Amino acid sequence: MRSRRSFSPFAGAARRPIAAILATFALSSAITVGLSIWATSRSQHRAAVLEIAARQRTLAERYVKEVLLVRSGAAADPATTATDLRVSADALLDGGLAPAVNGDDDDTQISGATDPTVRAELEQERRLVHDLTATGGAILGGRPGPAADTAHERITATDPIERLRILSDLTSNTALNTARTIAANADHSLGGLIMIQIGLGVAGLTVSLLLALALVAATRRRTAHFRSIVSASTDLVFVFGDGRCRYVSDSVTATAGAKAEDMLDEGFTRFVHPDDLDAVRMAAARARPAELVFRMSNHFDEWRQLEAHVSDLRGDRHVRGVVMNARDVSERVRLEEELTHQAYHDGLTGVANRALFRDRLDQAIAIAARTRASFAVLVVDLDGFKTVNDSLGHDAGDELLTTVARRFEDALRPGDTIARFGGDEFGLLLDGAGEEQAAEVGRRLLGRLSDPVEVAGRQLSLGASIGVAVHPRDGEVAEDLVRRADVAMYAAKEAGRGRVETFRHELARELGESLGLEHELRQALQRGELRVHYQPEVDLTTNAIVGVEALLRWTSPSRGPVPPSQFIPVAEATGLIVPVGELVLREACGQTADWARRGLLSEEFVTWVNVSQRQLVGSGMTALVRQVLEETGLPPTRLGLEVTETAIVAKGSASEHARAELQRLHEWGVRLAVDDFGTGFSSLGQLKHFPVDVIKVDRTFVQGVAVDRKDAAITANVVNLAHVLGLVAIAEGIESADQLLSMRRLGCDLAQGYVFARPAPATDIEALLMGGQPLTEAA
Amino acid sequence: MMTVVAVAAACSSGHSGGGTARVVEVTERDFTIHIPARIPAGDVRLVVRNRGPEQHELIIVRASEDRLPLRSDAATVDEEGLEPQTLGTLEPGPVGSTRELDVHLRPGTYEVFCNMAGHYLGGMSATFTAT
Ligand SMILES: [Cu+2]
């Protein structure tokens, strides 16, 4: 207890036992003092009585002397002495004023005797005094001796003087004996008094000691109970009573860099951010809300974000307060903010990324719906960029992209948005622009780009193809606008580059691209031209294969191999993605079940299948997955679904429904992964509320991780975040040993990429699995 | 309380003393002593009861012809002079007490008295004969 200022919460509770201890002490002391005072006054009184009893002796002797003197003719006043004797005897018996005997005596007021024995003796004394003075009176009066037997003495002597002397002796002796009796009684009662006082002292001490022991025991119990609450975690703990801070844990004082006494009572208010103070006060006083976030200054005068859980333990007799368990979430919040920024910006050029562009686009659509103002979307694709990249290297390409971004920024107004969609493709959002203005801006951009740029020691002149779509004419939703600007851009490229094209419906028809592809894709589905390939996922510590990602491959009889980046958007736009997705799911599950039955798979092996937002939004995903798993006999835990960030963050009832579907599947045992992570998150907080097992780090970050500090930082943050949230991080698209080394250093758990194995048909993968060997890092 | 203790003590000393002693009641009251005039010779236990109102002693001596000799104060008996013929002594006892005195009486005359100042002269004595 000694240094535990911490236990002030119990100050109130301990008051009662302490008060009882003090009261016991006070009571026993008061009784002792009272008894002492009483005993003192009694003994003062006794001293007076004893003195008067002793005076009787003197008086009796003086009386005899005076009678003899008078009888022999001398002058004396035996009558006064006789009176004094009688008055004193009366005073001793019944109280009153006893006369002074010697010159230095005082008249003494005493109270009467109460003890029966003492009274009997004093009555005898009074009778003797009577007999004595009567005998003296007879002698002085010359009368014969009286029958002086009031006190039942039987004096045989006949000489009156002899009788007088014997009576004087008896009077003296009785007075003396009475004094002895009183003294003996006093001794006796004093002894009793001492015993009572000792008893009281012992009893008081014992009771106090027992109370103190009980107090210590009770405090221990409370301490233990309180500790059990407090030490459940390493949280920062505050206890409030009546809105005042009664306790702060060591972790709080350590964080605040203050002493506990500075934080108790109202002290804590100086450490809480003024904007958050009301909320904290409210929680301290009413234990509501049950959770809150507030800022507290630390010893560097920085604001720390605390996330607090509030428990109402006012009814708990051991605490009697509101307990706030807080956790410092500053790092997480900072990480979230940083990632949110990164998630919205292109790492290379610093302009917006596709996610932010999409956001701005949605905002612009919302504003336009109210104001009826138009705006334009431009898609810009650099001409000949691939050549630059291939001949001068990636660094030169990156430098070029950065320069282009700067030139775009110079050419546009502050309200406009520039985004890099990836590669050499940019998107522009021109606020308030109509078709004419947009085309004008497009031509201005082409002019700016044509100024020579020095890259890697060479003067380059750039060209670009620009497509324009105008709201609301060319579309009222974001997807349509971007796709149509895209179509226009392709048209510009087709028409010979270095041009600006505005979308027209004829363009789409002319290009015929998407329509034709859709038709062929339908045929491919029916003809079975779509095949599923698998790419191994490798544990970065053991190099063991822990799973595969199922990937769709299409080789068209007329076109040859069609990359997924071309036909998947078409499939999504047309709804063909649903049957295509089902095909992949059935194929992958059947294959995995087959491998599992043949004992080729390790315990943790999972086959991952991509699921598009379109598939999730259409109802029946859960039913389909269940049906396929039952048909193929694959345990749910062997199947993983990869969803895009959109699936997690998108708003609207359809998306809510999709999330509910995923949630159900996850509860059933199916694994979930977030694909292309790091490219479009609005709030990582949403990830907390969604049952994800794996985060896939997008290949664009992975590919820059070994050479680009920004990419490396983002990747590190994503891996950290995954670990903070208790998730597994997997890196996609690892192509080089450098990238692999970097990912290992960053603590990434799993990896997938050409450096281990390319996507391959099931038979090739089977060979790898049968070999059972860890994958070597082939270049 | 006192009485109870005294009786208990009497019982125990009675047993140790052989238990055949004759018990003789002696009462002291005011300035008189009451004791039977005749007591059989032999071992005798005197049970002395003080009925007050004062403290009293009890001294037992073989009686001589004369009055007992007094000390020079002329108020008390000369106990020291009587020592050869003294059989036993009880110091001043409180009012209400009962005390015992074991004596061996040979045939003859004895006198009991209280020697507190003035008591003997005030009449506090008695004689008896042991036969
Ligand atoms: Cu006497």
Side-chain angles (χ1 to χ4, degrees):
Chain A
M1 285 281 292
R2 62 212 138 65
S3 71
R4 308 257 8 142
R5 67 193 183 302
S6 22
F7 288 94
S8 43
F10 311 130
R15 240 168 250 151
R16 234 179 314 160
I18 288 175
I21 291 173
L22 291 177
T24 310
F25 265 125
L27 188 67
S28 64
S29 303
I31 294 175
T32 307
V33 168
L35 283 172
S36 298
I37 292 171
W38 179 75
T40 306
S41 82
R42 290 294 297 169
S43 61
Q44 276 173 350
H45 179 248
R46 277 201 191 97
V49 170
L50 288 177
E51 190 186 336
I52 290 157
R55 280 184 206 168
Q56 285 296 81
R57 189 183 183 127
T58 312
L59 281 170
E61 279 165 10
R62 184 189 293 173
Y63 182 70
V64 173
K65 238 182 275 170
E66 283 171 346
V67 167
L68 291 179
L69 283 170
V70 169
R71 197 165 167 267
S72 62
D77 187 12
T80 305
T81 306
T83 308
D84 285 353
L85 269 168
R86 279 195 294 270
V87 170
S88 291
D90 288 343
L92 282 170
L93 186 60
D94 294 323
L97 196 66
V101 173
N102 297 311
D104 50 355
D105 289 342
D106 290 323
D107 291 353
T108 308
Q109 180 74 40
I110 54 171
S111 53
T114 50
D115 182 78
T117 310
V118 171
R119 281 190 71 86
E121 281 192 88
L122 287 172
E123 276 162 8
Q124 180 77 314
E125 169 73 7
R126 193 161 64 172
R127 287 192 289 270
L128 286 169
V129 165
H130 173 266
D131 290 352
L132 175 67
T133 51
T135 304
I139 291 169
L140 292 175
R143 296 190 298 272
D149 59 351
T150 324
H152 310 290
E153 70 277 13
R154 296 174 297 111
I155 300 170
T156 48
T158 49
D159 176 19
I161 301 301
E162 182 67 13
R163 290 175 64 92
L164 189 69
R165 206 178 47 78
I166 292 170
L167 277 169
S168 163
D169 281 346
L170 285 172
T171 306
S172 300
N173 191 266
T174 300
L176 194 70
N177 280 344
T178 308
R180 276 195 195 129
T181 306
I182 292 170
N185 283 353
D187 282 354
H188 183 72
S189 62
L190 197 67
L193 203 64
I194 288 170
M195 287 313 290
I196 288 171
Q197 292 193 354
I198 289 173
L200 272 171
V202 170
L205 267 175
T206 309
V207 170
S208 303
L209 197 65
L210 287 174
L211 282 168
L213 285 174
L215 175 66
V216 168
T219 308
R220 285 239 175 92
R221 271 203 308 281
R222 282 187 210 112
T223 307
H225 178 79
F226 188 72
R227 278 192 181 290
S228 71
I229 294 167
V230 166
S231 63
S233 65
T234 55
D235 287 1
L236 307 163
V237 180
F238 302 78
V239 178
F240 294 94
D242 302 323
R244 292 157 173 276
C245 188
R246 293 222 320 265
Y247 166 80
V248 288
S249 62
D250 292 345
S251 46
V252 175
T253 52
T255 301
K259 291 189 182 124
E261 44 270 38
D262 296 335
M263 304 198 71
L264 296 179
D265 271 351
E266 287 291 300
F268 72 97
T269 56
R270 285 187 288 118
F271 295 86
V272 174
H273 194 286
D275 294 347
D276 299 337
L277 193 54
D278 282 348
V280 173
R281 278 188 189 284
M282 161 95 95
R286 300 189 208 162
R288 279 198 311 271
E291 299 201 358
L292 81 155
V293 173
F294 65 95
R295 284 159 288 179
M296 188 182 88
S297 64
N298 71 357
H299 52 293
F300 300 118
D301 276 338
E302 298 163 348
W303 291 114
R304 305 299 291 179
Q305 296 265 357
L306 302 190
E307 189 179 82
H309 296 263
V310 185
S311 324
D312 189 355
L313 294 180
R314 284 177 294 187
D316 185 320
R317 65 194 183 88
H318 295 310
V319 180
R320 292 210 185 287
V322 173
V323 177
M324 209 179 268
N325 283 49
R327 194 175 292 238
D328 187 338
V329 294
S330 308
E331 286 309 316
R332 203 183 74 205
V333 169
R334 193 187 56 75
L335 187 65
E336 283 183 12
E337 283 170 356
E338 196 171 302
L339 271 171
T340 302
H341 176 84
Q342 287 166 357
Y344 272 128
H345 291 88
D346 176 45
L348 176 64
T349 62
V351 300
N353 65 6
R354 192 185 278 273
L356 182 56
F357 186 81
R358 171 60 193 260
D359 226 50
R360 296 267 168 87
L361 188 50
D362 286 340
Q363 280 177 32
I365 290 167
I367 292 167
R370 285 203 309 274
T371 62
R372 306 204 164 275
S374 68
F375 65 87
V377 172
L378 275 64
V379 172
V380 182
D381 193 82
L382 300 183
D383 295 333
F385 178 74
K386 197 173 184 317
T387 321
V388 174
N389 235 1
D390 291 350
S391 57
L392 299 178
H394 280 287
D395 286 350
D398 287 353
E399 206 182 323
L400 195 60
L401 289 172
T402 311
T403 308
V404 167
R406 295 291 89 77
R407 289 192 176 179
F408 284 173
E409 279 175 342
D410 292 344
L412 298 181
R413 294 167 304 169
D416 299 334
T417 301
I418 307 158
R420 181 172 166 233
F421 285 173
D424 58 347
E425 197 177 54
F426 289 84
L428 308 178
L429 179 62
L430 305 183
D431 209 22
E435 184 188 341
E436 284 307 314
Q437 282 167 288
E440 175 58 37
V441 170
R443 281 190 290 278
R444 196 162 74 224
L445 291 177
L446 288 179
R448 283 298 185 90
L449 287 177
S450 63
D451 288 348
V453 186
E454 191 184 307
V455 172
R458 308 222 349 218
Q459 295 287 327
L460 297 175
S461 182
L462 277 174
S465 301
I466 299 178
V468 178
V470 180
H471 178 88
R473 192 195 69 193
D474 301 331
E476 295 190 31
V477 296
E479 285 86 356
D480 288 351
L481 285 166
V482 173
R483 200 172 65 233
R484 287 175 175 173
D486 225 26
V487 166
M489 184 273 288
Y490 274 115
K493 257 196 194 335
E494 292 288 313
R497 310 195 162 180
R499 301 168 61 97
V500 179
E501 282 285 353
T502 301
F503 177 80
R504 285 165 283 125
H505 284 279
E506 308 88 81
L507 279 182
R509 247 197 320 278
E510 280 163 22
L511 286 167
E513 193 64 1
S514 65
L515 264 175
L517 211 54
E518 182 191 343
H519 178 68
E520 280 185 54
L521 194 57
R522 278 185 203 284
Q523 284 184 328
L525 250 179
Q526 282 160 6
R527 294 176 188 162
E529 290 165 14
L530 297 171
R531 298 248 181 270
V532 177
H533 283 200
Y534 302 90
Q535 186 172 30
E537 292 179 352
V538 174
D539 186 322
L540 280 181
T541 39
T542 62
N543 274 16
I545 300 176
V546 293
V548 290
E549 181 180 359
L551 296 162
L552 195 57
R553 287 290 178 267
W554 178 24
T555 307
S556 157
S558 56
R559 297 167 180 258
V562 185
S565 57
Q566 272 183 26
F567 71 84
I568 293 293
V570 174
E572 292 209 332
T574 56
L576 276 174
I577 194 73
V578 174
V580 167
E582 188 178 334
L583 175 118
V584 176
L585 186 68
R586 280 185 192 282
E587 181 68 32
C589 287
Q591 185 60 64
T592 311
D594 181 47
W595 286 334
R597 267 193 295 277
R598 288 157 57 198
L600 296 177
L601 304 183
S602 60
E603 188 96 359
E604 72 270 22
F605 190 97
V606 175
T607 294
W608 294 93
V609 175
N610 289 285
V611 176
S612 78
Q613 176 71 353
R614 183 73 180 255
Q615 275 173 288
L616 286 169
V617 169
S619 60
M621 187 66 193
T622 313
L624 175 69
V625 170
R626 277 180 179 249
Q627 189 198 341
V628 169
L629 287 175
E630 273 163 29
E631 280 172 17
T632 57
L634 186 70
T637 50
R638 289 243 187 249
L639 175 64
L641 300 180
E642 293 188 9
V643 299
T644 58
E645 293 168 315
T646 329
I648 291 172
V649 302
K651 295 183 176 66
S653 63
S655 304
E656 294 292 335
H657 171 76
R659 279 195 281 278
E661 294 247 31
L662 288 173
Q663 195 108 29
R664 264 199 301 282
L665 286 168
H666 189 263
E667 278 162 20
W668 199 37
V670 173
R671 311 299 174 91
L672 294 180
V674 182
D675 216 355
D676 305 333
F677 188 84
T679 56
F681 250 71
S682 56
S683 167
L684 293 164
Q686 282 163 284
L687 206 54
K688 279 191 297 188
H689 304 301
F690 197 74
V692 167
D693 305 293
V694 173
I695 286 179
K696 292 196 107 174
V697 185
D698 189 59
R699 63 182 65 236
T700 56
F701 298 127
V702 172
Q703 279 160 11
V705 77
V707 290
D708 186 292
R709 278 179 44 211
K710 272 189 178 169
D711 281 351
I714 291 171
T715 308
N717 275 342
V718 171
V719 170
N720 278 342
L721 179 80
H723 291 168
V724 164
L725 296 173
L727 309 179
V728 170
I730 175 167
E732 292 185 284
I734 297 192
E735 290 173 359
S736 72
D738 284 352
Q739 290 165 3
L740 181 61
L741 186 65
S742 300
M743 291 315 296
R744 277 218 172 94
R745 283 203 187 122
L746 293 175
C748 196
D749 308 288
L750 309 178
Q752 168 185 2
Y754 290 179
V755 75
F756 291 110
R758 291 169 179 270
T763 46
D764 293 7
I765 300 298
E766 206 170 300
L768 285 175
L769 290 171
M770 284 172 89
Q773 298 293 321
L775 285 185
T776 48
E777 295 135 32
Chain B
M1 192 63 168
M2 260 338 197
T3 322
V4 173
V5 172
V7 169
C11 289
S12 66
S13 73
H15 285 295
S16 63
T20 56
R22 180 180 298 271
V23 172
V24 173
E25 299 257 346
V26 181
T27 304
E28 294 176 318
R29 180 167 196 147
D30 291 324
F31 300 107
T32 57
I33 299 177
H34 299 281
I35 190 166
R38 287 179 181 279
I39 297 173
D43 286 332
V44 170
R45 169 166 294 178
L46 300 176
V47 177
V48 183
R49 196 177 301 266
N50 180 4
R51 312 198 80 149
E54 272 203 78
Q55 303 183 32
H56 296 294
E57 303 174 345
L58 186 82
I59 298 164
I60 176 167
V61 296
R62 269 193 307 279
S64 47
E65 264 86 292
D66 305 319
R67 289 194 53 158
L68 296 175
L70 295 182
R71 288 194 183 116
S72 57
D73 64 1
T76 51
V77 176
D78 179 11
E79 288 179 45
E80 292 73 24
L82 283 171
E83 205 159 343
Q85 58 197 84
T86 302
L87 277 78
T89 305
L90 287 175
E91 291 303 312
V95 175
S97 68
T98 301
R99 297 177 297 159
E100 292 173 352
L101 183 61
D102 288 331
V103 289
H104 181 77
L105 297 178
R106 281 179 286 158
T109 308
Y110 295 85
E111 184 164 4
V112 288
F113 65 96
C114 171
N115 203 28
M116 299 186 77
H119 286 211
Y120 173 69
L121 292 176
M124 199 149 186
S125 65
T127 55
F128 66 90
T129 310
T131 53

